């Protein structure tokens, strides 16, 4: 048995960041992780492996479609799927080992195994019970299931199975047009798979600014992805390495069955708190299965929770921010997360990024706002790399000019969004962005132009 100031259950981005910050603030920390490697969903089966495959297949797309235009002639590369998966695994390994190194550097103890909480102040790992003044539940999430769809992780897969398919399927049906479905759908579409996305709602990427979602769907359609919207999946079955997906069109109740080589179920994720003993401990839960918290504290004294296991967007950086904030609180300081400024990014080509409010949300709230929009057609750098299809849209208060939200579809959108995040954290106006000198030629000039468009107008429009 060992005693700690803090034991964190879960070594994902929420848990490991919380641990490192706790250690930096002088607390004795243990992290319980049952996986063989640290980094949680994000590093092992989420953000990082998917981005490795997106990078590899984007490079293939460039070779197939754009190299010749730039005078780079010759045969396009052929795909060695096993090598691509090996590259992805090396990327994972490098990153998970990196967290192990950071644990050693910061003197965080990794308690290897699956943890339970037999009582407040105690965490059991294997046969050992450890003591802690504070316990943090950072156990993350798992793929949500869908009635009538039986996942075997071979023919009918979640995102986890989609990262390690034995071979590249000829066809794939993706159930759900959210971030994960579209990212993995893009990967396979670029590898030559015929991808059909079936979505219950009438638009893709629920919650996204509608204008951006529409433009995004158009671009993905041009890339060969097929969309069936307003379709409620009734079930999916696998037999002999093939699958059938049945859906009902909501507009006329007609039923359609698709034959396919692979089905990716990407209908979201649900909090994972199995086996922790929360019920016996009396921890209050939300209706949708998350641990109920107030400033990360549960109703049980000394037990906290964060990341995908609690309410809020299921994003690695949201979990990390919560990890840092909670560490500060546990060290007697004040920790804070500004949930109004959490960016969201889709790492397709083009990337899509957003922060703050959408136009639909502002309308619903009855807020007077103005829109500054700038097309990447007016951005020299985007044109040079054949990615001028998208735009930057900034929403600002009509009277005060304060930035309320930003939505970008275009090259490096996931990086560009952060200047708007910083601006929003400082309560900046669109004019503040517009008056800031931006280096030329950069994609970020499009952000400045959109800010200019909130005032007297963009220059290159
Ligand atoms: C395919 C995919 C792509 C994604 N891409 C992105 C992206 O690009 N950007 C982004 O921000 N987010 C992305 N996400 C979401 C992101 O991975 C999660 O939001 C993030 O990992 C949540 O962090 P967490 O620390 O709360 O939990 P997790 O990362 O899920 O970590 C929880 C850890 O707890 C461990 N654990 C659980 N129970 C126990 C127990 N009882 N004892 C010991 N250990 C336990 C688990 O093994 C796991 O390692 C993606 C997710 C997926 C699936």
């Amino acid at each position: 048995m060992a005693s700690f100031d803090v034991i964190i259950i879960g070594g994902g981005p929420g848990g490991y960041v919380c641990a490192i910050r706790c250690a930096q603030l002088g607390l004795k920390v243990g992290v319980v992780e049952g996986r063989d490697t640290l980094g949680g969903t994000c590093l092992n089966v989420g953000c990082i492996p998917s981005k490795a495959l997106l990078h590899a297949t984007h490079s293939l797309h460039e070779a197939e479609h754009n190299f010749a235009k730039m005078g780079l002639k010759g045969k396009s590369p052929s795909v060695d799927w096993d090598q691509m998966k090996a590259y992805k695994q090396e990327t994972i390994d490098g990153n998970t080992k990196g967290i192990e190194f950071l644990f050693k550097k910061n003197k965080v103890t990794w308690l290897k195994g699956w943890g339970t909480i037999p009582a407040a102040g105690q965490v059991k790992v294997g046969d050992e019970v450890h003591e802690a003044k504070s316990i943090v539940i950072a156990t993350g999430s798992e793929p949500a299931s869908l009635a009538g769809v039986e996942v075997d992780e071979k023919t009918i897969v979640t995102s986890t199975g989609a990262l390690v398919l034995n071979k590249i399927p000829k066809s794939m049906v993706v159930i759900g047009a959210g971030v994960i479905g579209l990212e993995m759908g893009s990967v396979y579409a670029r590898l030559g798979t015929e991808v059909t996305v079936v979505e219950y709602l009438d638009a893709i990427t629920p919650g996204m600014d509608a204008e951006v979602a529409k433009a995004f769907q158009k671009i993905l359609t041009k890339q060969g992805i097929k969309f069936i919207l307003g379709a409620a999946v009734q079930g999916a079955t696998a037999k002999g390495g093939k699958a059938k997906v049945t859906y009902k069109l909501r507009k006329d109740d007609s039923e359609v069955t698709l034959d396919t080589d692979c089905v990716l179920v990407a209908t979201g994720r649900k909090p994972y708190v199995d086996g922790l003993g929360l019920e016996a401990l009396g921890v209050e839960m939300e209706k949708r299965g998350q641990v109920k918290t107030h400033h990360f504290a549960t109703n049980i004294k000394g037990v906290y929770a964060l990341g995908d296991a609690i309410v809020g967007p299921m994003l690695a950086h949201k979990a990390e921010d919560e990890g840092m904030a909670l560490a500060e609180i546990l060290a007697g300081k004040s920790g804070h997360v500004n949930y109004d400024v959490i960016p969201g990014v889709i790492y397709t080509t083009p990337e899509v990024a957003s922060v703050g409010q959408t136009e639909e949300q502002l309308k619903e709230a009855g807020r007077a706002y103005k829109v500054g929009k700038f097309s990447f057609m007016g951005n020299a750098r985007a044109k040079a790399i054949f990615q001028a299809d998208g735009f930057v849209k900034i929403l600002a208060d009509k009277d005060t000019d304060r930035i309320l939200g930003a939505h970008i579809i275009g090259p490096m959108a996931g990086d560009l969004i952060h200047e708007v995040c910083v601006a929003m954290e400082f309560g900046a106006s669109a004019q503040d962005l517009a008056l800031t000198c931006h280096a030329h030629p950069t994609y970020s000039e499009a952000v400045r132009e959109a800010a200019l468009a909130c005032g007297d107008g963009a220059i290159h429009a």
Side-chain angles (χ1 to χ4, degrees):
M1 185 216 264
S3 278
F4 294 89
D5 292 313
V6 185
I7 292 182
I8 297 159
I9 307 179
Y16 83 69
V17 167
C18 185
I20 291 170
R21 180 57 103 228
C22 280
Q24 288 170 340
L25 295 172
L27 300 173
K28 188 181 173 198
V29 195
V31 171
V32 188
E33 174 54 63
R35 263 199 175 94
D36 292 339
T37 47
L38 295 168
T41 302
C42 172
L43 296 194
N44 289 283
V45 290
C47 325
I48 298 306
S50 57
K51 269 64 220 181
L53 291 181
L54 280 159
H55 173 67
T57 56
H58 171 68
S59 306
L60 175 67
H61 174 93
E62 287 298 282
E64 286 175 341
H65 298 274
N66 293 329
F67 273 18
K69 289 184 208 160
M70 296 184 285
L72 301 170
K73 301 252 167 107
K75 249 178 94 188
S76 289
S78 60
V79 175
D80 178 341
W81 178 231
D82 286 337
Q83 177 55 34
M84 198 180 282
K85 285 191 289 183
Y87 145 73
K88 178 206 67 183
Q89 191 55 46
E90 269 169 38
T91 310
I92 295 171
D93 295 344
N95 282 290
T96 57
K97 285 199 184 98
I99 306 301
E100 233 179 299
F101 164 78
L102 290 175
F103 272 19
K104 282 187 189 130
K105 183 179 161 197
N106 288 284
K107 299 192 174 45
V108 173
T109 306
W110 178 2
L111 302 163
K112 294 185 183 179
W114 299 98
T116 56
I117 313 174
Q122 292 184 351
V123 174
K124 192 171 178 218
V125 187
D127 295 332
E128 279 200 276
V129 177
H130 305 282
E131 281 180 353
K133 287 181 203 136
S134 305
I135 297 169
V136 179
I137 299 164
T139 48
S141 60
E142 61 177 351
S145 52
L146 190 62
V149 179
E150 215 155 286
V151 169
D152 59 13
E153 292 297 13
K154 284 193 172 73
T155 309
I156 302 182
V157 297
T158 65
S159 57
T160 305
L163 292 167
V164 289
L165 289 182
N166 276 336
K167 57 177 189 187
I168 299 164
K170 282 210 172 69
S171 60
M172 174 183 268
V173 171
V174 177
I175 306 176
V179 178
I180 293 175
L182 296 182
E183 285 188 358
M184 292 312 298
S186 281
V187 164
Y188 283 100
R190 291 173 195 161
L191 290 170
T193 304
E194 204 179 280
V195 175
T196 304
V197 179
V198 182
E199 164 61 47
Y200 180 81
L201 297 173
D202 295 322
I204 68 168
T205 53
M208 182 185 277
D209 189 275
E211 190 180 6
V212 178
K214 224 167 150 189
F216 188 31
Q217 188 185 336
K218 225 170 161 182
I219 292 171
L220 291 178
T221 303
K222 242 170 56 188
Q223 292 175 6
I225 297 180
K226 203 173 150 198
F227 290 95
I228 298 168
L229 303 179
V233 168
Q234 305 296 301
T237 52
K239 201 173 162 193
K242 299 266 176 204
K244 282 185 189 298
V245 180
T246 304
Y247 64 84
K248 237 183 202 174
L249 281 177
R250 282 169 46 227
K251 62 173 187 230
D252 58 12
D253 242 17
S254 59
E255 203 167 90
V256 181
T257 297
L258 296 174
D259 290 303
T260 183
D261 290 337
C262 181
V263 179
L264 165 59
V265 188
T267 47
R269 295 179 63 82
K270 58 178 187 195
Y272 180 78
V273 290
D274 291 3
L276 285 173
L278 298 189
E279 206 178 320
L281 195 64
V283 173
E284 280 181 31
M285 306 295 287
E286 300 280 354
K287 275 199 195 94
R288 301 188 70 177
Q290 301 100 334
V291 179
K292 195 169 185 172
T293 55
H294 183 67
H295 292 304
F296 314 116
T298 70
N299 61 314
I300 305 293
K301 199 166 183 291
V303 179
Y304 302 82
L306 51 69
D308 280 9
I310 69 169
V311 169
M314 286 182 161
L315 292 169
H317 44 281
K318 175 259 193 188
E320 290 183 18
D321 271 31
E322 290 180 339
M324 281 199 283
L326 177 54
E328 302 275 338
I329 292 168
L330 296 177
K333 299 168 169 244
S334 52
H336 173 70
V337 176
N338 181 2
Y339 290 97
D340 290 336
V341 185
I342 294 186
V345 180
I346 307 179
Y347 297 85
T348 44
T349 304
E351 289 184 353
V352 185
S354 63
V355 65
Q357 312 220 44
T358 63
E359 219 178 323
E360 291 70 39
Q361 285 170 329
L362 292 173
K363 273 185 192 144
E364 203 183 315
R367 182 108 185 223
Y369 67 94
K370 54 188 171 174
V371 182
K373 234 178 100 180
F374 184 76
S375 163
F376 277 101
M377 285 290 180
N379 181 273
R381 189 78 184 279
K383 281 211 281 222
I385 63 155
F386 317 107
Q387 282 195 44
D389 267 352
F391 57 86
V392 180
K393 174 174 176 179
I394 292 179
L395 302 167
D397 186 276
K398 194 158 192 221
D399 303 317
T400 66
D401 195 36
R402 188 182 177 135
I403 301 169
L404 304 172
H407 307 276
I408 307 175
I409 176 164
M412 304 292 285
D415 287 272
L416 296 183
I417 199 72
H418 293 98
E419 73 165 295
V420 186
C421 295
V422 174
M424 286 177 74
E425 284 288 1
F426 281 84
S429 64
Q431 194 185 31
D432 289 325
L433 269 190
L435 292 179
T436 303
C437 185
H438 284 62
H440 174 77
T442 58
Y443 311 120
S444 70
E445 287 174 290
V447 178
R448 184 201 198 174
E449 293 268 23
L452 280 165
C454 285
D456 294 331
I459 300 297
H460 295 89

